Amino acid sequence: MLKVENLSANLNGKVLLEDINIQVESSKLNIILGPNGAGKSTFLKSLAKIIDSKGKIYLDNKDISNSSIELVSKKAAYMGQFNEGTNLSVIDVLELSRRKYSGIFLNKRDHEIIEQNIKEFGLKPFLHRDIDSLSGGERQKIFLAASLIQKPRVLLLDEPISHLDPKNQIEILQIIKEKTVKNDLIVFVVLHDLQNALHYGDNIMMIKNSRLLHFKESSFIDEQMINDLYGVDCELFWQNGHPFTFFRHTHSKHPKGTHTHKGES
């Protein structure tokens, strides 16, 4: 269980996050939605102790609010946006990720964990290739595997499917969903794709203007909540267990002629 009380963050006098209060259970995938600059990444970085924040953070009933980033990094793995390539090989990245937990020298158990993730993620063909030689989807899979190699209790993923094609988006989200349950993780994922968020998320966390707007099970998210979050009228319906969303707008020029979506005049 992770509990957050009155979590706030400021930078140079600007409020980045204000009075966030939530409680989440493990094995649940929590998707964070919100406009650009709302505070989504700040929330993840506050949990990971990457940036300073005020408030209380409890992990499995233990107060980690004042713990060092070194200690928290052994409990919470953070995967940031726009993971750029390096001159490191894939195996170097995987081993470095485990060293973050175990130290400079890896033991037999460390190598077993690395090998297990190599097998589960199908990484063997890539092990001796440079990260910057891989496609976006391949890199994201590597960095996700590297995060899990740390054996975290909490997994924090900031836009892990950005710039990926639909096939890779689905593959990455399915892996995250599977690992959340299999490893009994506490997981937060920032997404911009509303349909994927509602489909894969157990809970939806909505942040706007640095404050928590809603935190609810995905099945309880409605059109008005989405409208309030983005400031755009939205139609939401479910079919065969899949959500579909349409943001209302008017086309003045369109191959099939001018038309207006439902709800507009």
Side-chain angles (χ1 to χ4, degrees):
M1 184 268 289
L2 180 76
K3 185 177 182 181
V4 174
E5 294 182 349
N6 303 318
L7 188 66
S8 301
N10 297 270
L11 180 64
N12 298 326
K14 181 181 179 181
V15 176
L16 302 179
L17 209 62
E18 188 171 8
D19 294 330
I20 303 295
N21 292 275
I22 60 166
Q23 181 172 313
V24 298
E25 298 176 354
S26 56
S27 297
K28 301 292 185 182
L29 181 52
N30 304 284
I31 305 292
I32 306 175
L33 296 174
N36 292 332
K40 304 182 297 298
S41 297
T42 300
F43 175 74
L44 295 189
K45 291 177 181 178
S46 295
L47 294 184
K49 305 296 287 186
I50 294 172
I51 63 173
D52 292 331
S53 59
K54 296 181 179 179
K56 293 290 186 180
I57 303 172
Y58 299 92
L59 178 59
D60 296 329
N61 298 314
K62 182 178 180 180
D63 187 353
I64 62 169
S65 309
N66 297 315
S67 299
S68 67
I69 187 172
E70 289 78 17
L71 181 61
V72 172
S73 67
K74 293 183 178 182
K75 299 288 187 180
Y78 171 80
M79 176 176 154
Q81 299 181 48
F82 317 122
N83 284 298
E84 297 295 337
T86 69
N87 292 325
L88 297 175
S89 68
V90 171
I91 188 63
D92 289 337
V93 170
L94 300 180
E95 290 182 349
L96 280 171
S97 295
R98 188 60 193 171
R99 287 192 180 98
K100 186 176 183 180
Y101 183 88
S102 297
I104 296 175
F105 300 104
L106 301 181
N107 59 32
K108 181 180 178 181
R109 176 57 178 156
D110 295 322
H111 287 292
E112 287 175 350
I113 291 171
I114 293 170
E115 287 297 322
Q116 178 186 356
N117 278 272
I118 289 171
K119 182 178 180 180
E120 289 183 357
F121 281 83
L123 304 182
K124 197 166 185 178
F126 308 109
L127 290 182
H128 300 291
R129 290 180 58 182
D130 289 345
I131 285 288
D132 57 11
S133 72
L134 303 178
S135 69
E138 291 166 343
R139 280 200 302 269
Q140 292 298 77
K141 193 182 293 186
I142 302 300
F143 287 119
L144 180 56
S147 297
L148 290 168
I149 279 171
Q150 299 173 44
K151 289 292 181 181
R153 184 75 179 93
V154 182
L155 186 61
L156 308 169
L157 307 175
D158 200 347
E159 299 191 39
I161 63 171
S162 292
H163 312 301
L164 300 186
D165 61 55
K167 179 179 182 297
N168 279 296
Q169 288 184 9
I170 291 170
E171 184 177 4
I172 292 294
L173 288 172
Q174 286 179 335
I175 290 173
I176 294 169
K177 184 79 169 182
E178 175 190 338
K179 296 296 183 181
T180 298
V181 176
K182 182 180 178 180
N183 298 349
D184 193 33
L185 297 174
I186 297 166
V187 180
F188 288 92
V189 180
V190 172
L191 291 182
H192 280 294
D193 188 303
L194 186 56
Q195 291 180 181
N196 276 330
L198 293 173
H199 181 65
Y200 288 98
D202 295 297
N203 299 312
I204 302 296
M205 182 177 181
M206 295 183 168
I207 298 179
K208 183 176 184 179
N209 296 329
S210 307
R211 300 184 69 92
L212 180 65
L213 197 61
H214 299 288
F215 182 69
K216 294 183 177 293
E217 292 182 20
S218 57
S219 59
F220 290 108
I221 298 299
D222 60 31
E223 293 175 350
Q224 188 58 54
M225 294 175 190
I226 299 171
N227 296 347
D228 293 342
L229 182 65
Y230 293 112
V232 180
D233 286 342
C234 174
E235 256 186 278
L236 167 66
F237 66 92
W238 293 78
Q239 184 173 350
N240 299 325
H242 292 270
F244 294 89
T245 57
F246 296 93
F247 289 99
R248 296 169 181 164
H249 59 283
T250 301
H251 293 285
S252 57
K253 293 183 179 180
H254 192 274
K256 294 185 179 180
T258 300
H259 70 280
T260 302
H261 288 285
K262 181 179 177 181
E264 290 200 353
S265 57

